[in-house]
Amino acid sequence: MWPTPKIQRSGATGPLLRQERAERTREQILHCAARIFAERGYQQTGIKDVADEVAMTKGAVYFHFPNKQALAIAVVDELYSRWPVTLEAVRGKGLSPLDTVIEMFNAATVAFLEDPIMQAGTRLQNERDAVDVELPPPYVDWTNLISMLMREAHQQGQLAQHVDPDVAARVAVAAFFGAQHISDNLNGRADFAERWREVRDTLFPALRA
Ligand SMILES: CCC[C@@H]1OCC(CO)=C1C(=O)O
Protein backbone atom coordinates (compact mmCIF):
# COMPACT_ATOMS: atom_id res chain seq x y z
CA MET A 1 0.00 0.00 0.00
CA TRP A 2 1.32 3.54 -0.85
CA PRO A 3 1.95 5.89 2.09
CA THR A 4 -0.87 8.45 2.04
CA PRO A 5 -0.23 12.03 3.26
CA LYS A 6 -1.73 12.81 6.66
CA ILE A 7 -4.57 15.35 6.55
CA GLN A 8 -3.08 18.55 8.05
CA ARG A 9 -5.49 20.12 10.56
CA SER A 10 -6.12 23.65 9.27
CA GLY A 11 -8.42 24.77 12.06
CA ALA A 12 -11.31 24.81 9.59
CA THR A 13 -14.65 23.50 10.76
CA GLY A 14 -17.93 22.37 9.22
CA PRO A 15 -18.35 22.63 5.41
CA LEU A 16 -14.86 24.09 4.89
CA LEU A 17 -13.24 21.21 6.75
CA ARG A 18 -15.30 18.75 4.74
CA GLN A 19 -14.22 20.48 1.53
CA GLU A 20 -10.56 20.38 2.57
CA ARG A 21 -10.84 16.70 3.42
CA ALA A 22 -12.49 15.98 0.07
CA GLU A 23 -9.68 17.83 -1.75
CA ARG A 24 -7.04 15.89 0.13
CA THR A 25 -8.77 12.59 -0.56
CA ARG A 26 -8.93 13.47 -4.26
CA GLU A 27 -5.23 14.31 -4.19
CA GLN A 28 -4.37 11.01 -2.48
CA ILE A 29 -6.35 9.06 -5.08
CA LEU A 30 -4.78 11.01 -7.96
CA HIS A 31 -1.22 10.44 -6.75
CA CYS A 32 -1.84 6.78 -6.09
CA ALA A 33 -3.39 6.35 -9.53
CA ALA A 34 -0.35 8.10 -11.01
CA ARG A 35 1.99 5.63 -9.33
CA ILE A 36 0.03 2.70 -10.73
CA PHE A 37 -0.35 4.23 -14.23
CA ALA A 38 3.41 4.89 -14.25
CA GLU A 39 4.20 1.34 -13.15
CA ARG A 40 1.67 -0.69 -15.12
CA GLY A 41 0.30 1.55 -17.86
CA TYR A 42 -3.27 2.59 -18.59
CA GLN A 43 -4.66 -0.72 -19.84
CA GLN A 44 -3.31 -2.71 -16.88
CA THR A 45 -4.70 -0.28 -14.28
CA GLY A 46 -8.19 -0.66 -12.86
CA ILE A 47 -10.19 1.45 -10.41
CA LYS A 48 -10.05 -1.50 -7.99
CA ASP A 49 -6.22 -1.41 -8.11
CA VAL A 50 -6.31 2.28 -7.17
CA ALA A 51 -8.90 1.74 -4.42
CA ASP A 52 -6.88 -1.11 -2.90
CA GLU A 53 -3.60 0.85 -2.92
CA VAL A 54 -5.14 3.97 -1.41
CA ALA A 55 -7.05 1.76 1.09
CA MET A 56 -10.47 3.11 0.11
CA THR A 57 -13.61 1.55 -1.35
CA LYS A 58 -14.24 1.71 -5.10
CA GLY A 59 -17.21 3.89 -4.21
CA ALA A 60 -14.92 6.42 -2.55
CA VAL A 61 -12.77 6.55 -5.67
CA TYR A 62 -15.82 6.82 -7.95
CA PHE A 63 -17.05 9.74 -5.84
CA HIS A 64 -14.03 11.75 -7.01
CA PHE A 65 -13.39 10.17 -10.42
CA PRO A 66 -16.36 8.65 -12.34
CA ASN A 67 -14.11 6.32 -14.36
CA LYS A 68 -10.51 5.47 -15.29
CA GLN A 69 -10.61 7.92 -18.18
CA ALA A 70 -11.27 10.76 -15.74
CA LEU A 71 -8.28 9.66 -13.69
CA ALA A 72 -6.05 9.65 -16.79
CA ILE A 73 -7.17 13.14 -17.82
CA ALA A 74 -6.71 14.41 -14.25
CA VAL A 75 -3.13 13.06 -14.12
CA VAL A 76 -2.16 14.71 -17.42
CA ASP A 77 -3.93 17.97 -16.47
CA GLU A 78 -2.12 17.97 -13.12
CA LEU A 79 1.19 17.49 -14.93
CA TYR A 80 0.60 20.32 -17.37
CA SER A 81 -0.73 22.66 -14.69
CA ARG A 82 2.60 22.48 -12.89
CA TRP A 83 4.84 24.05 -15.53
CA PRO A 84 3.61 27.65 -15.25
CA VAL A 85 4.10 27.36 -11.48
CA THR A 86 7.59 25.92 -12.00
CA LEU A 87 8.39 28.73 -14.44
CA GLU A 88 7.35 31.38 -11.91
CA ALA A 89 9.55 29.76 -9.27
CA VAL A 90 12.50 29.62 -11.67
CA ARG A 91 11.88 33.23 -12.76
CA GLY A 92 12.25 34.17 -9.12
CA LYS A 93 15.90 33.15 -9.30
CA GLY A 94 16.61 36.10 -11.60
CA LEU A 95 18.43 34.01 -14.20
CA SER A 96 18.96 35.06 -17.82
CA PRO A 97 16.35 33.69 -20.27
CA LEU A 98 18.72 31.03 -21.61
CA ASP A 99 19.71 29.92 -18.10
CA THR A 100 15.98 29.87 -17.24
CA VAL A 101 15.52 27.40 -20.12
CA ILE A 102 18.27 25.22 -18.67
CA GLU A 103 16.74 25.45 -15.20
CA MET A 104 13.33 24.41 -16.54
CA PHE A 105 14.88 21.33 -18.11
CA ASN A 106 16.72 20.66 -14.82
CA ALA A 107 13.34 20.74 -13.04
CA ALA A 108 11.83 18.41 -15.64
CA THR A 109 14.77 16.02 -15.17
CA VAL A 110 14.16 15.85 -11.43
CA ALA A 111 10.44 15.33 -12.08
CA PHE A 112 11.12 12.48 -14.49
CA LEU A 113 13.29 10.80 -11.85
CA GLU A 114 11.15 11.44 -8.78
CA ASP A 115 7.58 12.52 -9.58
CA PRO A 116 4.87 9.89 -10.26
CA ILE A 117 2.69 12.56 -11.89
CA MET A 118 5.42 13.29 -14.45
CA GLN A 119 6.16 9.61 -14.96
CA ALA A 120 2.48 8.71 -15.31
CA GLY A 121 1.64 11.72 -17.51
CA THR A 122 4.45 10.75 -19.84
CA ARG A 123 3.45 7.09 -20.01
CA LEU A 124 -0.21 7.99 -20.62
CA GLN A 125 0.81 10.32 -23.45
CA ASN A 126 3.09 7.67 -24.90
CA GLU A 127 0.19 5.20 -24.73
CA ARG A 128 -2.37 7.78 -25.86
CA ASP A 129 -3.72 5.57 -28.68
CA ALA A 130 -4.72 2.99 -26.05
CA VAL A 131 -6.23 5.60 -23.73
CA ASP A 132 -9.94 5.67 -24.59
CA VAL A 133 -10.30 9.40 -23.99
CA GLU A 134 -8.94 12.51 -25.71
CA LEU A 135 -5.74 13.76 -24.06
CA PRO A 136 -4.24 17.19 -24.82
CA PRO A 137 -1.58 17.08 -27.57
CA PRO A 138 1.82 16.29 -26.01
CA TYR A 139 4.89 18.59 -26.08
CA VAL A 140 2.91 21.61 -27.33
CA ASP A 141 2.86 23.52 -24.03
CA TRP A 142 6.54 22.78 -23.41
CA THR A 143 7.61 23.85 -26.84
CA ASN A 144 5.62 27.08 -26.54
CA LEU A 145 7.09 27.77 -23.10
CA ILE A 146 10.67 27.19 -24.29
CA SER A 147 9.98 29.23 -27.43
CA MET A 148 8.86 32.17 -25.30
CA LEU A 149 12.09 31.99 -23.29
CA MET A 150 14.25 31.57 -26.39
CA ARG A 151 12.66 34.68 -27.92
CA GLU A 152 13.51 36.59 -24.75
CA ALA A 153 17.08 35.27 -25.02
CA HIS A 154 17.18 36.38 -28.65
CA GLN A 155 15.88 39.86 -27.79
CA GLN A 156 18.55 40.18 -25.09
CA GLY A 157 21.32 39.18 -27.49
CA GLN A 158 21.98 35.86 -25.74
CA LEU A 159 21.56 33.74 -28.90
CA ALA A 160 24.06 33.58 -31.78
CA GLN A 161 22.95 35.68 -34.75
CA HIS A 162 22.15 32.68 -36.97
CA VAL A 163 19.96 30.99 -34.31
CA ASP A 164 16.20 31.26 -34.81
CA PRO A 165 14.61 31.16 -31.29
CA ASP A 166 11.69 28.95 -32.32
CA VAL A 167 14.04 26.51 -34.06
CA ALA A 168 16.25 26.50 -30.95
CA ALA A 169 13.19 25.68 -28.82
CA ARG A 170 12.11 22.78 -31.04
CA VAL A 171 15.64 21.38 -31.15
CA ALA A 172 16.09 21.68 -27.37
CA VAL A 173 12.71 20.04 -26.65
CA ALA A 174 13.38 17.24 -29.13
CA ALA A 175 16.86 16.58 -27.74
CA PHE A 176 15.68 16.60 -24.12
CA PHE A 177 12.61 14.41 -24.55
CA GLY A 178 14.44 12.15 -26.98
CA ALA A 179 17.21 11.59 -24.43
CA GLN A 180 14.54 10.90 -21.82
CA HIS A 181 12.70 8.43 -24.03
CA ILE A 182 15.88 6.51 -24.90
CA SER A 183 17.07 6.43 -21.28
CA ASP A 184 13.65 5.29 -20.07
CA ASN A 185 13.43 2.52 -22.66
CA LEU A 186 17.00 1.27 -22.28
CA ASN A 187 17.48 1.42 -18.50
CA GLY A 188 14.48 2.92 -16.75
CA ARG A 189 16.03 6.42 -16.70
CA ALA A 190 19.00 5.24 -14.58
CA ASP A 191 21.34 7.35 -16.73
CA PHE A 192 18.91 10.13 -17.64
CA ALA A 193 20.51 12.88 -15.53
CA GLU A 194 23.80 12.24 -17.35
CA ARG A 195 22.11 12.15 -20.76
CA TRP A 196 20.44 15.50 -20.02
CA ARG A 197 23.82 16.98 -18.97
CA GLU A 198 25.26 15.84 -22.32
CA VAL A 199 22.42 17.58 -24.16
CA ARG A 200 22.90 20.72 -22.04
CA ASP A 201 26.69 20.86 -22.44
CA THR A 202 26.63 20.16 -26.18
CA LEU A 203 23.59 22.10 -27.40
CA PHE A 204 23.52 25.28 -25.33
CA PRO A 205 27.09 26.48 -26.02
CA ALA A 206 26.20 26.16 -29.72
CA LEU A 207 23.19 28.45 -29.20
CA ARG A 208 24.89 31.17 -27.16
CA ALA A 209 26.10 34.43 -28.75
C1 LIG B 1 4.86 12.15 -24.56
C2 LIG B 1 5.43 12.72 -23.29
C3 LIG B 1 4.75 14.00 -22.87
C4 LIG B 1 5.75 14.90 -22.29
O1 LIG B 1 6.43 14.22 -21.24
C5 LIG B 1 6.29 14.96 -20.06
C6 LIG B 1 5.83 16.27 -20.49
C7 LIG B 1 6.02 17.44 -19.63
O2 LIG B 1 4.91 18.26 -19.60
C8 LIG B 1 5.31 16.20 -21.74
C9 LIG B 1 4.54 17.19 -22.47
O3 LIG B 1 3.73 16.78 -23.35
O4 LIG B 1 4.74 18.39 -22.21
Side-chain angles (χ1 to χ4, degrees), residues 79-80 83 108 112 118 121-126 128 136-143 177 180:
L79 171 59
Y80 289 168
W83 299 119
F112 270 120
M118 178 68 139
T122 302
R123 182 159 183 173
L124 288 167
Q125 285 285 28
N126 285 330
R128 57 192 283 109
Y139 304 113
V140 171
D141 287 357
W142 251 95
T143 306
F177 285 104
Q180 189 282 137

Side-chain angles (χ1 to χ4, degrees), residues 184-205:
D184 184 26
N185 279 270
L186 293 186
N187 54 40
R189 300 192 181 106
D191 65 346
F192 177 47
E194 179 52 29
R195 299 289 77 80
W196 152 237
R197 283 194 291 272
E198 288 176 344
V199 168
R200 180 195 64 194
D201 297 345
T202 305
L203 175 62
F204 285 84

Side-chain angles (χ1 to χ4, degrees), residues 100-170:
T100 300
V101 169
I102 291 172
E103 193 60 21
M104 286 301 292
F105 281 121
N106 289 339
T109 300
V110 172
F112 270 120
L113 297 175
E114 299 177 2
D115 180 4
I117 292 285
M118 178 68 139
Q119 295 159 355
T122 302
R123 182 159 183 173
L124 288 167
Q125 285 285 28
N126 285 330
E127 297 176 351
R128 57 192 283 109
D129 292 343
V131 177
D132 45 359
V133 68
E134 183 76 23
L135 294 177
Y139 304 113
V140 171
D141 287 357
W142 251 95
T143 306
N144 290 338
L145 186 154
I146 301 301
S147 269
M148 175 193 68
L149 292 168
M150 288 291 192
R151 288 180 192 170
E152 289 177 17
H154 180 70
Q155 281 155 8
Q156 294 185 23
Q158 273 201 297
L159 296 186
Q161 274 303 319
H162 69 282
V163 175
D164 175 302
D166 293 333
V167 171
R170 289 193 294 268

Side-chain angles (χ1 to χ4, degrees), residues 12 19 28 33 40 43 49 60 81 90-91 115 136 152-153 188 199-200 206:
Q19 183 189 337
Q28 285 173 353
R40 306 182 196 172
Q43 297 280 46
D49 301 317
S81 72
V90 171
R91 288 262 202 214
D115 180 4
E152 289 177 17
V199 168
R200 180 195 64 194

Side-chain angles (χ1 to χ4, degrees), residues 82-93:
R82 293 183 177 190
W83 299 119
V85 177
T86 305
L87 177 60
E88 278 321 299
V90 171
R91 288 262 202 214
K93 297 181 178 184

